[in-house]
Amino acid sequence: MSTPKTAHLFTLFGATGDLALRMLWPSLYSLEAENLLIPQLKLLGTARAKLSREEFLEQVAGALAQRIPKNEFKAEVQDKLFARIDYQPADIDDDVTMTAFSQKVEQLRGDGDVLYHLSTAPRFYVAACQALAKHGAVGPWARVMLEKPIGEDFASAEAINDGVGKIFNESQIYRVDHYLGKEGVQNLIALRFGNSLFEPLWNSRNIEQVQITVAETVGVEGRADYYDHSGAMRDMVQNHLLQLLALVAMEPPARFDPTAVRNEKIKVLRSLRRIHADNIEHEAVAGQYTAGAVEGVAVKGYADELGRPSKTETFVALRAHVDNWRWSGVPFYLRTGKRLPSRQTEIYVQFKSVPYSIFGGATRRDLQPNGLLILLQPEERIELQLMSKTPGLDRKGMRLSKVGLDLDFHEEFANARRRLAYERLYLDALEGIGTLFVRRDETEAAWEWVDSILSAWQQSGAPPRPYPAGTWGPNAAISLIERHGHEWRE
């Protein structure tokens, strides 16, 4: 396999879909605005809709008007972007349209590399790759981006990976977890491996617990049928939270390149202690929201939104263990759910308490443990929580308070624009850099771990525990962590 070259053609399948209009074309606009797209690059949109190029560009223009902030939008940038764009309708099951599509690809790519992004349902990945191969639109000059989650369990993920792997080599496949394109996630990597401060402390001798929370205030919106088949475990835990856990827990890679980083992540995923029928009562909680109020607005319960009873979980809390030398005995608490009180994605690393207080007036409760908070949304911030003297005088001696050393990206990098995650991912994929993409063995290891939990829940037959919308999940999620002397950070 030759070394990837910067792509001369980017082709987007599902170019008129929700994700494309909401995130993908705006990301390409922003890359154009910053002159990060090479002059030779052409952009080809494709979907089954029989649109002319002008009709397609009208849709993209509408998406940009809606998604690009007015103070950032420039007509001349849109004109430059549109000069790169062409549209070719195609149906992967129709030889006539696929022949015309492959001819268009050949015409636009010249002698350069091609990047395909399959912004479609995963069940179409294998068929789409087979159609590309059948019509001569693949080769050592092509690579493909696939949206996670890959499949719905280990078996289906393996089948998709096998099918795509018959057309593309593993080095040509870029599996997308858009969380890995977030600035805050990349900052976690920089924080851990670009500073000497944390690495000596980053182990079970000094860390008490780790919490990873991905909380949403929304319900299932227009995704009810998909979500009821998927649930929070498949949609969020397997897809995003395990990637965040791997980045927190992995050993320092030899270098920041795709093979080295992915090798360390897979070691973490393979070190996860299995949660199964014998221990699931103590290590995992599934919940489903009922009617309640979120941000002061009354909302329906999940079953009411769906229109039928369901055993699908909309909330998951887990107590995970990474059984290796570095993390033995440190719990990793994972929590995600819909209709929770606030929208936030964060990683919280709590260090162990000081072994003894020299401050006579300070109780153990006053001496709160240090913590490192990495907030990914709704804003991106890193905060180191320390104990400091409370200002003023007190007859009982020195009083302490918790304070935060705060790196606020809006203040420190006031002139830096907040980027969409796909901007980083697209730039890397166009350049042939796979570090922030997920390797096959990672996806399958994550599914093996998640499948064990789903199987145990299915064996038990118990429905998810109800929780009112606007709360932090069922009471059992609180018990899950408090029985071990910890509490959720809220």
Side-chain angles (χ1 to χ4, degrees), residues 249-321:
M250 72 181 188
E251 295 296 318
R255 61 192 64 84
F256 189 62
D257 71 16
T259 299
V261 171
R262 291 157 161 180
N263 283 349
E264 298 307 332
K265 286 198 293 175
I266 189 63
K267 290 177 187 177
V268 173
L269 295 174
R270 287 175 175 162
S271 297
L272 282 171
R273 185 186 305 172
R274 289 294 180 93
I275 298 175
H276 44 68
D278 293 340
N279 62 358
I280 195 160
E281 285 286 323
H282 304 288
E283 308 287 20
V285 174
Q288 185 185 104
Y289 64 83
T290 58
V294 179
E295 297 175 341
V297 178
V299 296
K300 294 180 179 180
Y302 175 75
D304 295 326
E305 287 184 339
L306 190 63
R308 62 178 184 271
S310 171
K311 287 190 174 183
T312 297
E313 76 286 353
T314 64
F315 174 95
V316 172
L318 301 170
R319 184 172 183 261
H321 295 271

Side-chain angles (χ1 to χ4, degrees), residues 139-400:
W141 39 264
R143 45 192 180 267
V144 62
M145 293 173 67
L146 307 176
E147 290 287 331
K148 288 179 66 207
I150 307 292
E152 57 189 35
D153 54 20
F154 175 81
S156 58
E158 186 179 44
I160 291 172
N161 285 328
D162 283 345
V164 174
K166 290 177 181 176
I167 312 300
F168 293 94
N169 294 326
E170 178 63 27
S171 61
Q172 295 173 283
I173 302 171
Y174 292 62
R175 295 174 189 82
V176 177
D177 181 340
H178 74 270
Y179 270 52
L180 300 184
K182 291 178 178 290
E183 291 279 3
V185 172
Q186 294 166 62
N187 241 304
L188 168 61
I189 299 171
L191 188 79
R192 279 203 60 191
F193 305 123
N195 299 284
S196 62
L197 177 65
F198 295 107
E199 184 56 31
L201 306 177
W202 212 258
N203 53 57
S204 60
R205 293 187 297 278
N206 300 288
I207 291 177
E208 172 72 20
Q209 58 156 322
V210 178
Q211 295 183 23
I212 301 175
T213 295
V214 180
E216 301 177 282
T217 56
V218 297
V220 293
E221 309 300 308
R223 303 168 68 226
D225 289 336
Y226 161 78
Y227 193 87
D228 197 56
H229 186 69
S230 171
M233 181 65 79
R234 293 182 175 95
D235 189 47
M236 296 300 295
V237 175
Q238 186 278 339
N239 201 20
H240 300 313
L241 274 78
L242 289 186
Q243 278 293 315
L244 297 180
L245 185 155
L247 290 174
V248 172
M250 72 181 188
E251 295 296 318
R255 61 192 64 84
F256 189 62
D257 71 16
T259 299
V261 171
R262 291 157 161 180
N263 283 349
E264 298 307 332
K265 286 198 293 175
I266 189 63
K267 290 177 187 177
V268 173
L269 295 174
R270 287 175 175 162
S271 297
L272 282 171
R273 185 186 305 172
R274 289 294 180 93
I275 298 175
H276 44 68
D278 293 340
N279 62 358
I280 195 160
E281 285 286 323
H282 304 288
E283 308 287 20
V285 174
Q288 185 185 104
Y289 64 83
T290 58
V294 179
E295 297 175 341
V297 178
V299 296
K300 294 180 179 180
Y302 175 75
D304 295 326
E305 287 184 339
L306 190 63
R308 62 178 184 271
S310 171
K311 287 190 174 183
T312 297
E313 76 286 353
T314 64
F315 174 95
V316 172
L318 301 170
R319 184 172 183 261
H321 295 271
V322 179
D323 287 335
N324 63 17
W325 188 281
R326 182 184 290 263
W327 295 110
S328 178
V330 178
F332 284 75
Y333 296 106
L334 311 180
R335 174 176 61 165
T336 185
K338 290 188 175 294
R339 292 296 190 204
L340 300 183
S342 62
R343 174 178 173 263
Q344 63 191 69
T345 298
E346 65 176 42
I347 300 165
Y348 176 63
V349 179
Q350 181 189 310
F351 295 93
K352 291 187 175 179
S353 300
V354 295
Y356 175 76
S357 172
I358 67 169
F359 306 103
T363 64
R364 290 284 294 183
R365 185 167 181 81
D366 294 328
L367 279 171
Q368 298 179 49
N370 302 139
L372 178 67
L373 175 64
I374 302 164
L375 190 64
L376 304 180
Q377 62 183 22
E379 57 183 339
E380 292 171 341
R381 196 178 77 240
I382 296 175
E383 180 182 294
L384 183 59
Q385 298 170 347
L386 306 172
M387 297 306 297
S388 175
K389 178 186 177 299
T390 305
L393 302 175
D394 194 299
R395 291 182 182 276
K396 295 181 180 180
M398 188 181 295
R399 297 180 61 190
L400 304 180

Side-chain angles (χ1 to χ4, degrees), residues 373-439:
L373 175 64
I374 302 164
L375 190 64
L376 304 180
Q377 62 183 22
E379 57 183 339
E380 292 171 341
R381 196 178 77 240
I382 296 175
E383 180 182 294
L384 183 59
Q385 298 170 347
L386 306 172
M387 297 306 297
S388 175
K389 178 186 177 299
T390 305
L393 302 175
D394 194 299
R395 291 182 182 276
K396 295 181 180 180
M398 188 181 295
R399 297 180 61 190
L400 304 180
S401 301
K402 181 181 280 190
V403 298
L405 296 180
D406 191 2
L407 172 59
D408 189 318
F409 291 91
H410 297 290
E411 293 180 8
E412 293 295 323
F413 304 108
N415 297 323
R417 180 180 56 82
R418 289 194 67 185
R419 298 182 181 279
L420 296 171
Y422 280 95
E423 296 177 40
R424 174 79 266 165
L425 297 175
Y426 271 170
L427 189 60
D428 281 5
L430 287 167
E431 295 292 327
I433 302 169
T435 308
L436 296 177
F437 296 89
V438 182
R439 199 166 63 190

